[in-house]
């Protein structure tokens, strides 16, 4: 389980050190802002998250040269923020700006298609069992899938959508040794699947 509350003091300290070394306007501050934004999203402190991400965006916009991976992470975090708040069109447009994300214009059906693709990718990754995720990546996967679950329960009439996400969340938790959570999600997935038949 991600400990977002512990990440904030560490990221703030890193931000202070970076400001002391590189100054107030450096792109070297962006990773700390992104971490603070992501941790704030995890704590559901969306206003603080948006503030940190806006500071990151400002630093990136002022920079002459900024690495694509930094820009990509910034757009991904904005996408996560907007999806967490249920602003799916904005989330999708941010994910489209992420060089690793889907390049789709924003319509409800296309949000659904993009989210379906994300669930499909996670199913494949977990089935092949080749890639080992660190704790931060696991937390990001759980948060991403939980956001998709919320979207599917709010915007889809078919119970298969939420059941599929619960199944993938169960797989993810099982893979990383969280057997109680895995069991809970598997039970929810099974319950959702039974409703279909």
């Amino acid at each position: 389980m991600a400990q977002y509350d512990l990440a904030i003091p560490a990221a703030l300290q890193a931000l202070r050190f970076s400001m002391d070394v590189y100054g107030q306007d450096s792109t070297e501050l962006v990773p700390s802002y992104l971490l603070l934004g992501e941790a704030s999203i995890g704590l559901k402190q969306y206003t603080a998250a948006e503030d940190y991400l806006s500071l990151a965006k400002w630093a990136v916009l002022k920079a002459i040269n900024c690495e694509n991976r930094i820009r990509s992470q910034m757009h991904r975090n904005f996408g996560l923020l907007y999806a967490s708040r249920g602003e799916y069109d904005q989330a999708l447009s941010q994910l489209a700006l992420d060089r690793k994300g889907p390049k789709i214009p924003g319509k409800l059906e296309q949000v659904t298609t993009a989210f379906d693709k994300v669930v499909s990718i996670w199913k494949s990754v977990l089935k092949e069992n080749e890639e080992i995720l660190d704790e931060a990546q696991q937390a990001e996967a759980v948060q991403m899938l939980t956001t998709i679950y919320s979207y599917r329960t709010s915007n889809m009439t078919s119970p298969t959508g939420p059941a599929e996400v619960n199944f993938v969340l169960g797989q993810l938790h099982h893979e990383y040794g969280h057997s109680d959570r895995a069991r809970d999600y598997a039970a929810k997935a099974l319950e959702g699947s039974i409703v279909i038949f």
Side-chain angles (χ1 to χ4, degrees), residues 77-129:
N77 284 5
F78 266 113
L80 185 59
L81 170 66
Y82 293 136
S84 296
R85 293 192 313 203
E87 299 167 7
Y88 300 113
D89 283 343
Q90 285 182 291
L92 190 59
S93 65
Q94 285 297 315
L95 292 172
L97 293 171
D98 175 359
R99 293 177 191 263
K100 297 177 184 171
K103 306 291 191 273
I104 309 171
K107 291 184 181 171
L108 195 59
E109 299 81 23
Q110 293 168 327
V111 172
T112 302
T113 301
F115 282 172
D116 289 350
K117 182 68 175 167
V118 170
V119 172
S120 173
I121 289 168
W122 278 113
K123 280 170 64 175
S124 297
V125 166
L126 293 168
K127 185 177 181 182
E128 293 167 10
N129 198 14

Side-chain angles (χ1 to χ4, degrees), residues 36-186:
L36 285 163
E38 193 169 335
S40 297
I41 293 167
L43 293 170
K44 296 182 180 6
Q45 297 173 348
Y46 301 129
T47 302
E50 189 162 29
D51 290 345
Y52 289 126
L53 294 177
S54 294
L55 289 168
K57 186 176 184 179
W58 178 245
V60 166
L61 289 173
K62 290 191 310 181
I64 296 169
N65 292 319
C66 183
E67 294 179 40
N68 285 336
R69 72 175 179 78
I70 297 282
R71 290 180 194 275
S72 179
Q73 183 65 45
M74 181 188 69
H75 291 300
R76 197 172 315 124
N77 284 5
F78 266 113
L80 185 59
L81 170 66
Y82 293 136
S84 296
R85 293 192 313 203
E87 299 167 7
Y88 300 113
D89 283 343
Q90 285 182 291
L92 190 59
S93 65
Q94 285 297 315
L95 292 172
L97 293 171
D98 175 359
R99 293 177 191 263
K100 297 177 184 171
K103 306 291 191 273
I104 309 171
K107 291 184 181 171
L108 195 59
E109 299 81 23
Q110 293 168 327
V111 172
T112 302
T113 301
F115 282 172
D116 289 350
K117 182 68 175 167
V118 170
V119 172
S120 173
I121 289 168
W122 278 113
K123 280 170 64 175
S124 297
V125 166
L126 293 168
K127 185 177 181 182
E128 293 167 10
N129 198 14
E130 291 176 3
E131 189 173 336
I132 297 174
L133 304 177
D134 63 28
E135 194 170 319
Q137 291 170 320
Q138 292 172 40
E140 186 177 2
V142 168
Q143 194 168 21
M144 191 182 304
L145 290 165
T146 303
T147 298
I148 293 170
Y149 174 82
S150 297
Y151 171 80
R152 285 186 173 185
T153 54
S154 301
N155 296 293
M156 296 177 75
T157 54
S158 167
T160 56
E164 181 184 31
V165 178
N166 280 326
F167 175 74
V168 176
L169 280 163
Q171 282 184 297
L172 182 66
H173 284 296
H174 173 75
E175 185 68 32
Y176 293 100
H178 308 134
S179 53
D180 289 341
R181 287 192 207 119
R183 216 178 348 268
D184 291 344
Y185 282 111

Side-chain angles (χ1 to χ4, degrees), residues 8 14 118 197:
I8 296 219
V118 170
F197 299 105

